[in-house]
Amino acid sequence: MMQTRLNDIGPGERKGDTLLRPTGSELLYRPVPLAGIALATLLLARLLAGTSPAPAVLLVLLPFVAVFVIMVFRSPSLGLFTALFWGFFGIGAIRYMSYYLGTVPQLGLAIDGLLVLTFLAFFLTNYRNADWKPAQNGLTVIVLGWLGYNILQIANPESHSAIAWFYAVRGVALYLAGYIILAFLVLKQKKHVDIFLMVWLGLSVISVLWGIRQNYIGLDPAEQQWLSTPKHRATHLLFGHLRVFSFYTDAGQFGAAMGHAGISAGILALGKGSMKKRIFFGSMSLLFIFGLFISGTRGALIIPVAGFMVYLVVNRNFRMVALGLAMMAVVYGFFQFTTIGQGNYSIARMRDAIRQGANTPSMQVRLNNQKKLAGYLASKPFGGGVGSAGYWGQRFSPYTLLAQTPTDSWYVRIWAEEGIVGLYLFLAMMLYFFLEGGRRIMNLKDHVLKQKMLAVYSGVFGITVASYGNEIFGQMPTAIINYISMSFVFSASRWDKSENGEDQS
């Protein structure tokens, strides 16, 4: 066909700009494209016929990934919100891929990929006139200092594995610094706060509904397989009662996430919006608190309590402080001095936690572990090295004391891995955020914006307090919610100065 067309053209027409070149489907008649198509077909057939369908699935998804990359370059904020979305569903996806595809992929690396992709999208689309002003503040400086300290930890003489450092430093420092700074750069408008709240709380509703299904209908085959392992069964099936975990890493993370969303939605319900919005957020808050209870996570109770108290203080409504203390006293009295609802396992478990306090066997074990660590770390001000404790320690240096001693706390983990110096640095960073962030919120003139900032600020505070009992601060999706929230609190004062809905970038 192509040769026939070329033969129909006169000699003069073959010269210069009028030369007809093969295009479109005519290229398929050439040997190289035909060989490429044949090779791709054989490769796809081989993948589909293989024992594991995972490579074929990834190949099929490749065009969609390409389209997504293009969309992120057009709108970098999409990368950040996708990371938030993935933080919710990534772990659940691993369970189902493990069950249905027979593989356990490193889906957690998608968070790294989205971080790099979004940074590239920002730099390459704004390389000539990038606006760095939103990130020029004290919080950026202090999180970069924290990242720098963690990078230097690779030279810690007590460290046993550079590979463990590579894996662990991501969750401890890289995501924190990267996503806070990235949020400053790409979430530059007030509307991004509303999008964030809508995505976060909307996904949290799906999470609690998923948990309710687990509790009242039962687990699906993939979840049953996950629960069948001795480790998960021992912590999630107590006295015949399931500790609901939804699609999170475990019940502890699910309960903390529900307490986090519950206090933030509750504070939004206390704002000056329409009655319809207040009822909407109030209903969501009650649903999230219910999710906290069915998780059986006793330590997560402190999240709404601590969050509500800091909300009252920063809001400087001292009459509400008194009312809040009275409400907390009523709740405490309900658990401490009554037996109402004792037949409900979730209520009974929470009541047991309040009545026994630090006298529970699990708390005593934790305190004994901390005494053991104190003796070991007495002469190690920089700790045993990032990645030396917890999961990564058990994987890469399993016979060391830090790997064999459970930390059971975000702060104890930092202390064990980065020493008393690292712990003080982290606490100083968070203290700076709460003091400076609280001051900025107090000075906001826009009451609607102020209420939203109080909601996210109080949620971060609740998680920070609760992280003493569990390693929840750095786990997804709580981590990325915290980091975006922290950036919003510092950006709010800039938005507050913009008038009449003008561009707030």
Side-chain angles (χ1 to χ4, degrees), residues 26-84:
E26 293 172 352
L27 289 171
L28 299 180
Y29 288 90
R30 290 191 169 186
V32 174
L34 282 173
I37 292 173
L39 182 62
T41 303
L42 290 173
L43 178 61
L44 181 59
R46 177 66 184 87
L47 290 173
L48 290 173
T51 56
S52 174
V57 172
L58 294 176
L59 190 62
V60 171
L61 292 176
L62 194 59
F64 299 98
V65 173
V67 172
F68 172 75
V69 170
I70 294 172
M71 294 174 65
V72 171
F73 270 80
R74 290 183 176 179
S75 178
S77 61
L78 176 63
L80 206 54
F81 288 126
T82 303
L84 174 59

Side-chain angles (χ1 to χ4, degrees), residues 133 206 241 374 379 488:
K133 290 182 180 179
I206 297 174
H241 294 277
S379 59
F488 280 158

Side-chain angles (χ1 to χ4, degrees), residues 223-302:
E223 293 164 341
Q224 289 176 355
Q225 175 181 272
W226 181 84
L227 189 63
S228 66
T229 61
K231 176 183 177 181
H232 298 144
R233 187 169 59 249
T235 55
H236 288 74
L237 200 60
L238 305 179
F239 308 106
H241 294 277
L242 174 70
R243 290 185 62 203
V244 171
F245 51 89
S246 188
F247 36 70
Y248 291 78
T249 53
D250 51 47
Q253 186 63 28
F254 172 60
M258 291 299 98
H260 189 182
I263 184 58
S264 294
I267 290 174
L268 291 173
L270 296 175
K272 295 183 178 181
S274 66
M275 183 58 66
K276 185 182 296 186
K277 281 188 176 181
R278 297 175 69 178
I279 293 174
F280 174 73
F281 286 118
S283 300
M284 291 177 74
S285 179
L286 293 175
L287 183 64
F288 297 144
I289 297 301
F290 178 74
L292 188 160
F293 272 83
I294 63 176
S295 75
T297 308
R298 297 176 291 189
L301 280 173
I302 193 63

